[in-house]
Amino acid sequence: MDLLILVAENIKLLLLGSLLAGLITAGLAYIAPKSYVSQATLALPVPTLTPARASVPAMANNLTPLQAAALMTSPRVLDSAIRRLKLPEGQTAEQALEQVTHQVKVTPEQEGLLYLEVAAATPVQAQALANAVIDAWLESTTPGERARADLENAFSLAKSSLEATQRMIKRLSVDTGAATNKNLEQRHDGSALLAAAELQARYLSETTEILRLLRGYSRDVVKQPPTLPTQSESLPVGLIALLAAVAAAMALLLWLCIVQAWRSAARDPRVAPKLSRLRSALGLR
């Protein structure tokens, strides 16, 4: 009952205070800078390599979705994207990197998909930054000097092996066609031809994959180019205003309860001297 009486006596203060807090918060949320988000979808290429040898240098460079997402949001890629867009005036490289880091979000999926979201103050800026991040990431997938040398050596060996296998297949095809009256020899040449054809396919796959690694990822991995957003990611003004009004009402009610308790204590003869000492200690009258 004491609480109900307190609310009834101060109902105007509670209503006006919570309404004013809600209006102020709604106004601040409405005039807050808006953010536009450009979205893009990328699909990592599936390795087609079936190595003919035990190991091939730099074949471990095929990125998993998690590794690709980490690389895309790394300073190496974001610094390159910032340089592509020109460093904003009045900002240091560290400040620009920190800002862009908060604007870029990459979500990896198990199926080899990457979902890129880039926020900016305008739709054009969001799309431009998303394209710059993708271009910088694609450039970062090309091998360095040492890895390139290993890959070129592996490609040379694989190409030589492929050519030798093709010559073997050509010779075995002639021998198999000539051995029409020799069943045993024909079966032997047929088995050798089958094994050579399988080896040829593996060498062909190997050369194709090494070439892809030498070139890095191409723009073909971009399945959905960065969009030009038409609507901003605005704050939920109504919900924010409602929460602010409720919080203000609770704060006012707590303050009224404290004031009421203080006044009640001041009328208690046992507590009044202590409150007087407390006022004196605080420099209050």
Side-chain angles (χ1 to χ4, degrees):
M1 290 299 296
D2 292 339
L3 182 61
L4 290 176
I5 293 173
L6 182 64
V7 171
E9 291 176 346
N10 299 274
I11 188 65
K12 292 182 178 180
L13 175 63
L14 292 173
L15 291 177
L16 291 177
S18 58
L19 179 60
L20 182 62
L23 290 175
I24 293 175
T25 306
L28 293 175
Y30 183 78
I31 65 175
K34 295 179 173 57
S35 177
Y36 294 86
V37 178
S38 177
Q39 299 177 332
T41 303
L42 300 90
L44 298 178
V46 179
T48 58
L49 177 63
T50 305
R53 286 178 291 277
S55 62
V56 176
M59 289 306 167
N61 287 351
N62 290 296
L63 299 174
T64 65
L66 191 60
Q67 291 172 333
L71 178 60
M72 192 176 294
T73 54
S74 67
R76 173 186 175 186
V77 170
L78 296 183
D79 278 336
S80 178
I82 291 170
R83 289 193 297 269
R84 290 170 183 268
L85 295 177
K86 308 298 182 182
L87 185 67
E89 295 183 2
Q91 279 189 328
T92 64
E94 292 77 11
Q95 291 172 337
L97 177 61
E98 182 179 0
Q99 177 181 334
V100 171
T101 300
H102 289 91
Q103 292 178 250
V104 178
K105 178 184 176 183
V106 183
T107 304
E109 295 290 342
Q110 292 294 335
E111 295 78 10
L113 295 177
L114 297 175
Y115 297 103
L116 173 65
E117 294 182 346
V118 179
T122 66
V124 175
Q125 290 177 352
Q127 188 182 49
L129 180 56
N131 279 310
V133 170
I134 291 175
D135 291 338
W137 174 72
L138 292 175
E139 182 181 349
S140 71
T141 61
T142 56
E145 293 183 5
R146 183 173 180 179
R148 177 172 292 276
D150 291 339
L151 283 169
E152 289 175 348
N153 183 51
F155 178 75
S156 178
L157 293 175
K159 186 177 180 181
S160 299
S161 300
L162 177 61
E163 292 173 351
T165 305
Q166 289 173 340
R167 290 194 296 270
M168 182 188 301
I169 291 175
K170 184 176 180 180
R171 179 177 58 80
L172 289 174
S173 298
V174 174
D175 294 343
T176 302
T180 54
N181 297 323
K182 301 177 181 179
N183 294 333
L184 181 61
E185 184 177 353
Q186 187 178 14
R187 285 197 300 271
H188 174 75
D189 290 342
S191 299
L193 181 61
L194 183 62
E198 181 181 352
L199 195 59
Q200 179 191 29
R202 295 173 66 183
Y203 280 129
L204 181 61
S205 176
E206 187 173 301
T207 54
T208 302
E209 186 68 12
I210 295 175
L211 278 176
R212 187 189 66 77
L213 289 172
L214 281 169
R215 296 167 182 164
Y217 291 163
S218 68
R219 192 78 183 186
D220 293 339
V221 302
V222 182
K223 301 306 177 184
Q224 175 192 307
T227 59
L228 184 65
T230 56
Q231 293 183 344
S232 63
E233 296 288 327
S234 58
L235 298 173
V237 178
L239 178 61
I240 291 177
L242 178 61
L243 293 176
V246 172
M250 295 180 64
L252 286 173
L253 183 59
L254 178 62
W255 179 75
L256 290 173
C257 290
I258 294 174
V259 172
Q260 182 70 17
W262 183 278
R263 290 175 179 174
S264 299
R267 292 192 294 267
D268 190 337
R270 294 173 300 178
V271 182
K274 297 180 181 179
L275 291 178
S276 179
R277 292 171 57 188
L278 179 60
R279 290 193 187 96
S280 299
L282 296 176
L284 302 175
R285 294 181 179 178

